[in-house]
Amino acid sequence: MPEEIPVPPWRRPKKAPPRMPLTQDRIVDTALGILDAEGLDALSMRRLAQELKTGHASLYAHVGNRDELLDLVFDLVLTEVEIPQPEPGRWAEQVKEMCRSLRRVFLAHRDLARIAIDRVPLGPNGILGMERTLNLLRSGGLRDELAAYGGDLLSTFVTAEALEQSSRHSGTEQSEEQAGMFADQLHGYLKSLPPTQFPNLVHLAGPITSLDSDRRFELGLEIIIAGLVAAGAGDDADDREPGIRTAGSTLPGS
Amino acid sequence: MPEEIPVPPWRRPKKAPPRMPLTQDRIVDTALGILDAEGLDALSMRRLAQELKTGHASLYAHVGNRDELLDLVFDLVLTEVEIPQPEPGRWAEQVKEMCRSLRRVFLAHRDLARIAIDRVPLGPNGILGMERTLNLLRSGGLRDELAAYGGDLLSTFVTAEALEQSSRHSGTEQSEEQAGMFADQLHGYLKSLPPTQFPNLVHLAGPITSLDSDRRFELGLEIIIAGLVAAGAGDDADDREPGIRTAGSTLPGS
DNA sequence: CCATGAAACGACCACCGTTCTATAGTGGAA
DNA sequence: TTCCACTATAGAACGGTGGTCGTTTCATGG
């Protein structure tokens, strides 16, 4: 937060009015600051007004309501995600890069995933992001339907994964340590289950709990993109390549 | 599973007129009834206590806090999802069936997806579901890591998709009509964007808005499963175990 | 028949988002 | 320069929320 404590009263009347007018931008910026520092639950209209040194009722002249404020915060933050310009032949890796960038943004702003999870990004930056995402996917040769849905699926995946990661070490405490503790506890619990009743959980206790967030993310990314490629290549109508269908997945249409 | 899907919460408390003691089961049942009838936001401790004809403070003798109550409600509802026993060669279709069943459960209980999205299902029914899901995935020959993460990915996908669908027609109003209205509005908006700046959005306005929830779901399912197959087939894998243990089929009692 | 201990309750606490209304402060017109 | 209209502001109030605490109720065991 910018500190403006040393007030120069001699310059007051002319240049900078000590009364910094309440602005939507200022409100949204400050809201993002509180979000980063204290989390979503702390981001109340009252707390926000206090930060802006005003009354909480004044905010409603600029933002409508809290939900709309969160819309604005979300859209503001979407500025930070980098979407590469398509390069032929590299689209899959570029999609991954975009998803990684989106994930970085999610992890950089506390509780942002909680805000995003039930929100359709229709703000200006969200729309722009969608446009560029679709551009990337279509450059990969995906059918229209697959490109349209693929963008949704990928962003949902990134959001959900970020939500999971951030909710794991949910408290205000250190992240890594707490996540490790939780994984260890869970591992012990799974191992302690009756093996006759839960053979798979006991057997997979290791893989289930040892996957750190980064590995989970890369794995999921790989799965979804491979699925997009396979679906785009093998699906009905205008198949451009002979089916990639692997054994056991003789999918009987719909 | 006992058929009590149309939960009549209003009659429940009257079952035993003289004095029905407050019980965790009764609380959770009633909570589920309120959830179905009025949604998550209406499910406050006070509203719940009122339904049970008691004071809200009394609930805390049985459930700890609201979040724990939601854990219990979630786990209770998990009873309803059907997970098939593995049949050789049909695993992919069976995984789909399981996901569809899970989705049906989500859509049958208002706002359940909102409860599930940031919750790890570690209750007894959740654990059981994980076990049987892993059983199914491993029967498909997936590597341990892929099976372990695939279960997570699939359940996250189902939850997120249900959340999206239920949040689209969010209000208390009719579902289909409102969803259609929204799609039409969005379609018009996308079509009205400047084509030079948003060529892909304009071009894909149709596919983006015409995908109904069922199609979205089936498409996503297909993508993820194809991705799992592709990732499992393409990666170097030596750990393919011949033995497939099925819990419950040969259980020697407990 | 009474004592006891757990269950239930009512009063509180510290908040929340939102609306209403009175006012303070400003830009522009006279 | 004066004054007016207008709007941004903020205080009070409303109807909620989850959670805690000290007290009361009451069925049951002695």
Side-chain angles (χ1 to χ4, degrees):
Chain A
M1 177 183 50
E3 57 292 308
E4 41 199 326
I5 309 207
V7 184
W10 19 90
R11 295 202 52 182
R12 233 180 78 159
K14 184 72 182 200
K15 185 83 174 188
R19 174 179 192 73
M20 181 150 45
L22 217 44
T23 297
Q24 191 179 84
D25 283 351
R26 216 159 68 85
I27 290 175
V28 174
D29 283 354
T30 308
L32 181 56
I34 294 177
L35 191 72
D36 289 345
E38 308 173 34
L40 181 57
D41 293 335
L43 180 49
S44 68
M45 302 302 275
R46 285 170 161 86
R47 175 79 186 78
L48 178 54
Q50 167 193 326
E51 202 67 29
L52 288 162
K53 294 185 184 357
T54 181
H56 61 278
S58 306
L59 304 174
Y60 287 89
H62 301 270
V63 293
N65 57 46
R66 184 172 187 262
D67 199 64
E68 188 183 307
L69 171 68
L70 296 183
D71 274 343
L72 295 169
V73 169
F74 183 40
D75 196 68
L76 168 65
V77 128
L78 248 29
T79 300
E80 303 172 16
V81 30
E82 300 161 17
I83 304 178
Q85 291 295 325
E87 296 172 24
R90 257 175 48 80
W91 74 274
E93 184 54 38
Q94 286 190 303
V95 168
K96 287 187 186 180
E97 281 170 11
M98 181 199 69
C99 288
R100 292 192 193 104
S101 172
L102 180 58
R103 173 170 184 254
R104 252 177 273 125
V105 171
F106 274 130
L107 298 184
H109 297 283
R110 169 126 76 126
D111 286 339
L112 186 63
R114 275 173 63 194
I115 294 179
I117 193 66
D118 55 358
R119 219 164 283 268
V120 184
L122 290 180
N125 295 315
I127 288 285
L128 184 62
M130 279 182 56
E131 167 66 23
R132 302 177 66 184
T133 301
L134 293 177
N135 196 32
L136 213 49
L137 291 173
R138 291 184 71 201
S139 84
L142 260 45
R143 287 165 25 225
D144 282 358
E145 185 189 45
L146 229 48
Y149 179 66
D152 254 35
L153 182 61
L154 283 168
S155 76
T156 296
F157 162 72
V158 176
T159 307
E161 201 64 38
L163 185 66
E164 158 120 6
Q165 178 172 358
S166 70
S167 85
R168 211 190 286 277
H169 36 78
S170 56
T172 81
E173 287 308 315
Q174 284 83 0
S175 55
E176 288 308 313
E177 190 173 345
Q178 197 151 354
M181 292 281 285
F182 179 78
D184 286 350
Q185 266 183 266
L186 183 57
H187 185 267
Y189 173 62
L190 292 178
K191 275 293 183 196
S192 78
L193 288 172
T196 60
Q197 208 176 348
F198 301 97
N200 294 287
L201 279 175
V202 172
H203 180 257
L204 293 180
I208 287 176
T209 57
S210 72
L211 281 182
D212 66 303
S213 304
D214 293 346
R215 179 80 182 113
R216 284 174 59 95
F217 181 76
E218 289 297 328
L219 199 50
L221 213 48
E222 205 125 354
I223 289 170
I224 292 179
I225 292 180
L228 281 172
V229 171
D235 221 5
D236 53 348
D238 56 342
D239 45 346
R240 45 198 82 202
E241 279 183 68
I244 293 186
R245 291 165 220 191
T246 330
S249 67
T250 317
L251 317 166
S254 53
Chain B
M1 174 190 49
E3 276 295 330
E4 41 191 331
I5 310 271
V7 184
W10 332 105
R11 285 198 63 83
R12 266 218 171 256
K14 297 179 185 173
K15 260 188 177 173
R19 167 177 175 78
M20 180 178 289
L22 216 43
T23 296
Q24 191 180 83
D25 283 351
R26 215 158 70 85
I27 290 175
V28 174
D29 282 355
T30 307
L32 179 56
I34 294 177
L35 191 73
D36 290 345
E38 308 173 34
L40 181 57
D41 293 336
L43 180 49
S44 68
M45 301 303 273
R46 284 171 161 82
R47 176 76 187 79
L48 178 54
Q50 167 193 328
E51 203 65 33
L52 289 162
K53 293 185 181 2
T54 182
H56 71 279
S58 306
L59 304 174
Y60 288 93
H62 301 270
V63 293
N65 57 45
R66 185 173 187 261
D67 199 63
E68 187 184 307
L69 170 69
L70 296 183
D71 273 345
L72 294 170
V73 169
F74 183 39
D75 196 68
L76 169 64
V77 129
L78 248 29
T79 299
E80 303 171 15
V81 30
E82 300 161 17
I83 303 178
Q85 291 293 327
E87 297 173 24
R90 257 175 49 79
W91 75 273
E93 184 54 39
Q94 286 190 303
V95 167
K96 287 189 184 179
E97 281 170 13
M98 181 199 69
C99 289
R100 291 192 194 105
S101 172
L102 179 58
R103 176 171 182 252
R104 252 177 274 124
V105 171
F106 274 131
L107 299 184
H109 297 281
R110 170 127 77 124
D111 286 340
L112 186 63
R114 277 173 63 195
I115 295 180
I117 193 64
D118 55 357
R119 219 164 283 271
V120 184
L122 289 180
N125 294 315
I127 288 286
L128 184 61
M130 280 183 55
E131 167 65 24
R132 300 177 68 183
T133 301
L134 293 177
N135 197 30
L136 212 50
L137 291 173
R138 292 184 71 202
S139 83
L142 260 45
R143 285 165 29 225
D144 283 358
E145 185 188 46
L146 230 47
Y149 180 65
D152 254 35
L153 182 61
L154 283 168
S155 76
T156 297
F157 162 72
V158 176
T159 307
E161 202 64 39
L163 184 67
E164 158 120 6
Q165 177 171 358
S166 69
S167 84
R168 213 190 287 276
H169 37 77
S170 56
T172 81
E173 286 309 311
Q174 284 83 0
S175 56
E176 289 308 314
E177 192 173 345
Q178 198 151 354
M181 292 280 286
F182 180 79
D184 287 350
Q185 266 184 264
L186 183 58
H187 186 267
Y189 173 63
L190 293 178
K191 276 292 182 195
S192 78
L193 289 171
T196 60
Q197 207 176 349
F198 301 96
N200 294 288
L201 280 175
V202 172
H203 180 258
L204 294 181
I208 286 176
T209 57
S210 71
L211 280 182
D212 66 301
S213 304
D214 292 345
R215 179 81 182 113
R216 285 173 59 93
F217 181 76
E218 289 297 327
L219 199 50
L221 214 47
E222 207 126 353
I223 290 170
I224 292 179
I225 291 179
L228 281 173
V229 171
D235 238 2
D236 50 341
D238 55 327
D239 54 351
R240 193 152 307 182
E241 294 199 7
I244 294 169
R245 313 176 181 87
T246 54
S249 56
T250 61
L251 56 89
S254 59

